[in-house]
Amino acid sequence: MPEAPFGVLAVYPTAQALLDAIPGIKARGFSNLEAYTPFPVHGLEEALGLKKSRLGTLVFIMAALGAVSAFLFEWWTSVVDYPLVIGGKPLNSWQAFVPVMFEVTVLFATFTAGLAMLFLFNKLPFFGSPILGSKAIRRTTKDRFGLLIMPVEGVLDVEAASAALLETGGSEVEVLAAPDSTPPGLGWWFKTLSGITAACVVTGFGTAWAIKIYPTIPPMVHMEVQPRLDAQKADSFFADGHGMQLPPVGTVARGYMPLLAKSPEEAGKELINPLPVTPAVLQKGRDLFNYHCAVCHDRLGTGKPWLTSAYTAKPANLQASTYRKVPDGYIYYVISEGKGAMPSYAADLSANDRWAIVDYVRALQRSQHAKPEDVQ
Amino acid sequence: MSSGSGTTIRSLLLLSAVGFVGAAATYFVEGPARFWANWLVWMVFGIAVGLGCLFIVALEHQVQSVWSVPLRRVPERLSSLALWVTPLVLAALLCLPVLYPWARPEGASVPAIVLKSAWLNTPFFIIRTVACVALWFVAYRLVVKRSFEQDRSRDPMITVCLRRHAPLVLAIFALTLTTVAFDWISSLEPVWYSDIFGVYLFAGTFLSGLAATTLGTLYLYNRGRLPGVTEDHLYNLGGFLFAFTVFWGYIAFAQYMLMWYGDMPEEVFWFKQRTTGGWLALALILGIGHFFVPFLALVSRKAKISPKRLRWVSLWILAFMLVDLYWLIFPAVGAKVRLGWPELSFALLFLPLGLLAARAAMAKGEDTPVGDPFLQEGLEFRL
């Protein structure tokens, strides 16, 4: 038995003629129909008895999968693989995950819709339907309405189908041969892949060549090109050939006087607090103490704040008699250089800031150990 | 039929009377705070349904949509609910010292409230409220009233005129609804800031208006009073309900997430209050009921054209607008979730009255705007 054709095609003059013809053709036992119209025709889907597309269901499932996998990935990265506390939020902050979940949901949904439509439901790769080679195609994209009868389970009575089309008002009946359905051989794959490779090579070299021939012309260069010596670049201006020179030995940047003392005790002997104790200084000291110090030393300097339970270091109790007796320079040195687990605060606090904190620590100590005459 | 409907009206009025007794008892037994909180929930609900419908009418004229012309009479009729609510709004002015901290003498000692006192003070509040009420009457006149005249006169120029008025009505809608959101709900906790809150109430309002329009349309559709209206028209209503369910979810979550992230004390306390204890359960119910359930119920194409599905989803959305308002308003007046006979009494008082008002409104004019020149084109609309 010869292979069944792709189908038998006829054209109808109007959309209504097409709609009217379909029931008659169905009554003759042809159920696998397809219509080709220049614009959407209402009621055609129902008349042809097209099944509801499964694309929506697939998209819904994939979208849900996208939401779930985005959540799992975010949870894994921020709770399991690389836990970082950000802004004091819990590691598993679902609120922060939602925007990404939303984006991934949309991504999965659109990719599924596009790719599933092309590859699963439209059966790509497929190099052109036989309908594109028909005579009717010129008119069905303009002012005629085509109807195609396709084989059911590989069987189609061409004679009966042609008769059915003609009897229901169709004209220009043509039989479309089935497309070549043999899978492409080795030669086809070779030709296709080498064609793609050749295209890439030609484009790549062409681009590189074009850039060489036609150099890019920057619109303005006066920011980029300046008469100056760049760091890390060679330059003949100085004898040693370096663009950037080291400062002379012993240079001190303004406002960055280094500590000469080698220990807190030494600093306590040498350094004198330059700041007078005024309300403004104490106010500044209080603000800075509460920003930088209180998190470990507590707002009263007792060393028993809310963070001590989280780690094992024991911040100094500034109210202890040892620290009430040490000179100002001692505290200044510790703030500048750090002590034990405490890091240096020299980068965050200027010399005056540190002295203001020292003054405030003194005020705190006095406030907790006030003598009767302080109240008078 | 008429005697049957008479019985219905009488029993509704009876229910309402029972509710009235309960509501009055609330005032004396549970205190004025709970009374006025309930009052506020139903007042804003009425505004939402009425103004939502008015907004739909204005929007249709503004974008010159044709598919919706055969259905336009429903939102036009129901937008009169916004006018029925105005006595409730004016009466609610009595509750200012009871519910609003800024209207009480101790408000003057809170710096954050003093900062806002140029806006939040009793005389200006009353002026704004009266202005809003007046503007709703103006808006109704501008964009709804003449449409009923068109039933008789069949004058196509009325359509032109209504379309010209639409932008003004949209501006009135935006200003007054934002004022309602900021004044009546947000200022219950005057320290709180949320710029997006007006949009949040708008999302609920548009959704309520759409739900009411859908219910009214289905009421007529099921009785065959909308000849020529097809599933394609229903599909558009369903699509709108679906889209603005998502919009509500988006706005609600955006407001929550930004405040949760920023963690500013003057913002986040509002959510803290509403997501701890019993309020957390209510917040979860709200998120699931106001977003996930309508979303899943309307996601398929079949659902958007099924009258049964559309009806229960619309009722569901209206119910969750009430839950939303309860969740917005009640935490400001009491620390615990309280749902008892006072809330039931208020439901009994206002639901039958609302149904009667809707019923009276639905009798107004023809079922479709027969004088609109675009009616035939609208009926021919197919997807």
Side-chain angles (χ1 to χ4, degrees):
Chain A
M1 184 181 156
E3 205 188 332
F6 180 72
V8 183
L9 180 71
V11 292
Y12 292 84
T14 63
Q16 197 54 49
L18 176 69
L19 285 172
D20 293 343
I22 290 170
I25 289 175
K26 283 198 157 174
R28 286 173 174 81
F30 301 103
S31 56
N32 192 6
L33 305 178
E34 181 63 285
Y36 299 90
T37 59
F39 49 79
V41 174
H42 282 294
L44 197 54
E45 279 175 49
E46 292 79 6
L48 289 173
L50 294 183
K51 270 182 272 165
K52 187 177 170 278
S53 167
R54 285 167 297 147
L55 193 59
T57 318
L58 193 65
V59 168
F60 186 81
I61 293 168
M62 288 304 284
L65 198 65
V68 172
S69 47
F71 177 79
L72 287 178
F73 184 64
E74 287 181 277
W75 173 82
W76 179 75
T77 49
S78 38
V79 178
V80 180
D81 189 44
Y82 208 91
L84 274 182
V85 175
I86 296 166
K89 301 280 192 268
L91 292 175
N92 183 19
S93 291
W94 65 269
Q95 293 95 334
F97 299 167
V98 167
V100 176
M101 285 166 68
F102 173 74
E103 297 297 336
V104 175
T105 306
V106 173
L107 186 81
F108 271 52
T110 47
F111 269 56
T112 307
L115 297 178
M117 184 267 288
L118 290 175
F119 288 97
L120 287 181
F121 297 121
N122 285 353
K123 310 237 171 15
L124 284 185
F126 177 56
F127 299 115
S129 162
I131 189 74
L132 296 173
S134 71
K135 276 179 276 165
I137 190 73
R138 286 177 190 283
R139 303 299 297 275
T140 58
T141 51
K142 200 167 82 183
D143 57 359
R144 286 291 184 276
F145 301 81
L147 187 66
L148 180 73
I149 302 179
M150 289 181 291
V152 179
E153 288 164 10
V155 182
L156 178 63
D157 184 345
V158 175
E159 300 290 310
S162 311
L165 288 166
L166 286 171
E167 282 161 28
T168 52
S171 56
E172 301 171 39
V173 174
E174 52 188 314
V175 179
L176 303 176
D180 184 10
S181 59
T182 48
L186 215 58
W188 181 87
W189 282 108
F190 178 75
K191 271 191 282 182
T192 310
L193 292 180
S194 49
I196 293 171
T197 315
C200 291
V201 169
V202 168
T203 330
F205 275 102
T207 312
W209 174 76
I211 290 172
K212 271 223 163 120
I213 301 280
Y214 306 104
T216 46
I217 301 161
M220 52 184 195
V221 293
H222 53 266
M223 291 286 276
E224 202 179 332
V225 181
Q226 290 180 34
R228 71 155 186 237
L229 302 178
D230 287 320
Q232 318 292 348
K233 289 275 161 67
D235 198 281
S236 57
F237 186 81
F238 291 108
D240 61 0
H242 293 288
M244 199 183 204
Q245 300 292 301
L246 287 168
V249 181
T251 308
V252 174
R254 267 175 200 278
Y256 290 92
M257 188 66 194
L259 266 179
L260 298 173
K262 293 281 176 285
S263 71
E265 290 78 13
E266 203 182 313
K269 278 182 213 135
E270 287 173 3
L271 297 178
I272 299 156
N273 190 342
L275 289 187
V277 182
T278 63
V281 167
L282 286 177
Q283 180 66 49
K284 183 182 176 193
R286 179 165 73 178
D287 288 347
L288 292 168
F289 184 87
N290 286 340
Y291 293 154
H292 295 281
C293 318
V295 69
C296 290
H297 288 285
D298 183 32
R299 280 170 188 261
L300 291 175
T302 60
K304 272 182 269 165
W306 54 92
L307 259 185
T308 36
S309 57
Y311 67 116
T312 50
K314 289 194 175 53
N317 175 5
L318 302 176
Q319 300 290 359
S321 61
T322 354
Y323 293 107
R324 278 189 283 137
K325 281 177 198 149
V326 295
D328 282 2
Y330 183 99
I331 301 175
Y332 179 84
Y333 182 91
V334 172
I335 300 174
S336 311
E337 297 294 314
K339 186 177 181 242
M342 174 174 164
S344 160
Y345 279 82
D348 299 309
L349 300 164
S350 71
N352 274 354
D353 289 349
R354 281 172 258 167
W355 284 119
I357 290 174
V358 172
D359 277 345
Y360 180 65
V361 168
R362 291 295 181 216
L364 272 182
Q365 289 171 340
R366 195 162 165 195
S367 75
Q368 298 300 300
H369 298 86
K371 297 184 192 75
E373 56 265 33
D374 287 342
V375 187
Q376 284 158 9
Chain B
M1 178 72 199
S2 64
S3 72
S5 67
T7 326
T8 320
I9 291 174
R10 265 201 298 282
S11 43
L12 283 176
L13 283 174
L14 192 70
L15 275 179
S16 189
V18 172
F20 180 76
V21 173
T26 305
Y27 192 87
F28 297 106
V29 179
E30 294 287 329
R34 196 164 178 185
F35 175 87
W36 286 117
N38 272 302
W39 185 278
L40 222 53
V41 167
W42 286 95
M43 178 191 103
V44 181
F45 181 68
I47 294 174
V49 174
L51 275 194
C53 288
L54 190 69
F55 173 71
I56 292 169
V57 176
L59 187 67
E60 287 177 20
H61 286 307
Q62 172 68 38
V63 302
Q64 311 192 349
S65 85
V66 168
W67 72 269
S68 59
V69 171
L71 310 181
R72 203 183 67 225
R73 194 38 57 81
V74 176
E76 278 177 348
R77 286 163 162 180
L78 292 178
S79 61
S80 64
L81 289 177
L83 311 183
W84 283 98
V85 171
T86 51
L88 296 189
V89 180
L90 295 175
L93 286 171
L94 293 172
C95 81
L96 294 186
V98 181
L99 289 186
Y100 295 90
W102 51 264
R104 288 197 290 264
E106 70 258 31
S109 59
V110 181
I113 299 179
V114 175
L115 200 69
K116 297 180 178 180
S117 61
W119 180 267
L120 291 179
N121 58 69
T122 309
F124 192 25
F125 191 99
I126 293 171
I127 293 173
R128 284 198 302 273
T129 304
V130 173
C132 283
V133 165
L135 282 172
W136 295 337
F137 278 93
V138 171
Y140 184 82
R141 264 195 99 79
L142 282 176
V143 88
V144 176
K145 202 153 182 289
R146 295 200 67 197
S147 174
F148 290 110
E149 282 170 30
Q150 203 181 26
D151 284 356
R152 287 187 309 277
S153 69
R154 316 264 163 148
D155 179 6
M157 280 316 284
I158 291 179
T159 301
V160 176
C161 175
L162 295 173
R163 284 182 173 187
R164 261 189 212 146
H165 290 156
L168 185 62
V169 172
L170 288 176
I172 290 174
F173 171 80
L175 286 175
T176 56
L177 191 74
T178 311
T179 309
V180 167
F182 286 168
D183 280 2
W184 288 105
I185 305 178
S186 179
S187 85
L188 286 166
E189 282 140 302
V191 176
W192 189 54
Y193 285 89
S194 177
D195 295 348
I196 207 175
F197 192 71
V199 184
Y200 180 79
L201 188 67
F202 161 71
T205 300
F206 191 22
L207 213 44
S208 306
L210 280 169
T213 302
T214 309
L215 285 175
T217 305
L218 290 173
Y219 174 84
L220 298 176
Y221 181 78
N222 289 337
R223 281 163 184 73
R225 282 163 66 179
L226 291 176
V229 169
T230 61
E231 284 177 343
D232 304 77
H233 296 89
L234 295 187
Y235 179 86
N236 271 11
L237 283 178
F240 259 114
L241 280 173
F242 179 69
F244 279 84
T245 294
V246 179
F247 182 73
W248 181 89
Y250 180 85
I251 295 298
F253 185 75
Q255 177 175 264
Y256 169 65
M257 195 192 75
L258 288 179
M259 294 203 171
W260 169 85
Y261 234 128
D263 215 11
M264 303 297 278
E266 72 271 21
E267 291 173 353
V268 86
F269 81 94
W270 194 88
F271 276 109
K272 175 123 183 136
Q273 209 170 347
R274 281 161 179 76
T275 51
T276 44
W279 298 112
L280 176 64
L282 199 63
L284 290 174
I285 291 171
L286 183 63
I288 293 167
H290 210 314
F291 174 68
F292 284 101
V293 171
F295 179 86
L296 293 175
L298 288 178
V299 75
S300 82
R301 180 179 173 165
K302 230 188 220 159
K304 295 190 191 82
I305 55 174
S306 150
K308 258 189 196 156
R309 179 75 62 98
L310 284 176
R311 193 174 65 198
W312 79 251
V313 172
S314 299
L315 287 169
W316 180 277
I317 284 172
L318 287 175
F320 269 89
M321 181 67 187
L322 279 168
V323 175
D324 191 7
L325 289 171
Y326 180 83
W327 182 77
L328 292 174
I329 290 170
F330 269 66
V333 291
K336 275 195 204 142
V337 181
R338 288 185 300 180
L339 210 56
W341 63 269
E343 284 68 35
L344 182 69
S345 303
F346 270 88
L348 282 181
L349 170 59
F350 285 121
L351 265 185
L353 288 183
L355 282 174
L356 286 176
R359 195 194 147 95
M362 287 300 281
K364 211 165 176 232
E366 300 284 333
D367 287 334
T368 45
V370 286
D372 192 304
F374 293 98
L375 179 64
Q376 191 51 38
E377 207 180 320
L379 285 170
E380 282 163 10
F381 165 78
R382 295 293 177 274
L383 282 173

